[in-house]
Amino acid sequence: MTSAAVFAQGQPAPPVVAGDDPVAAVIEGREWKKSELEAMVRSMGPNITRNYLADKRTFLQTFALMAKLVKMAETDGMDKQDPHSWRLFYNRMVYLAQARADGQIAR
């Protein structure tokens, strides 16, 4: 497993050896390999990374609950209804604009 120091510094994880990347969780029918979870968590910043490393079980339970609620909301069409559709549109704009301003998107 990659050390907390590597995660906190945002350095890339060591290469995964074939067969050494087990499915760590199945959430809403999607299999999450260990490397995928770790890549997602690293991309979310130091606070999320610390939470994950401190208590993976609780992090995954919370993540699974959010995924379930999102699926329910999308099934109900909430993502297409006002005001939710506008909020999603705006938050996506804010995130991508900030990422571009910070130079985080490859050209």
Side-chain angles (χ1 to χ4, degrees), residues 32-93:
W32 285 86
K33 291 188 175 190
K34 179 181 172 187
S35 64
E36 293 173 314
L37 280 168
E38 290 174 352
M40 183 212 28
V41 166
R42 277 193 312 275
S43 74
M44 302 307 255
N47 291 335
I48 300 292
T49 301
R50 273 191 294 277
N51 289 342
Y52 174 76
L53 293 173
D55 189 349
K56 291 178 185 165
R57 178 177 299 275
T58 299
F59 178 91
L60 289 172
Q61 288 172 337
T62 302
F63 184 71
L65 176 60
M66 288 191 310
K68 181 177 183 140
L69 292 171
V70 166
K71 187 174 184 179
M72 291 168 66
E74 288 174 340
T75 297
D76 292 344
M78 288 180 71
D79 57 325
K80 308 280 190 268
Q81 300 169 4
D82 288 344
H84 314 297
S85 61
W86 291 114
R87 289 179 181 175
L88 290 168
F89 169 79
Y90 180 79
N91 284 318
R92 181 177 185 275
M93 276 184 40

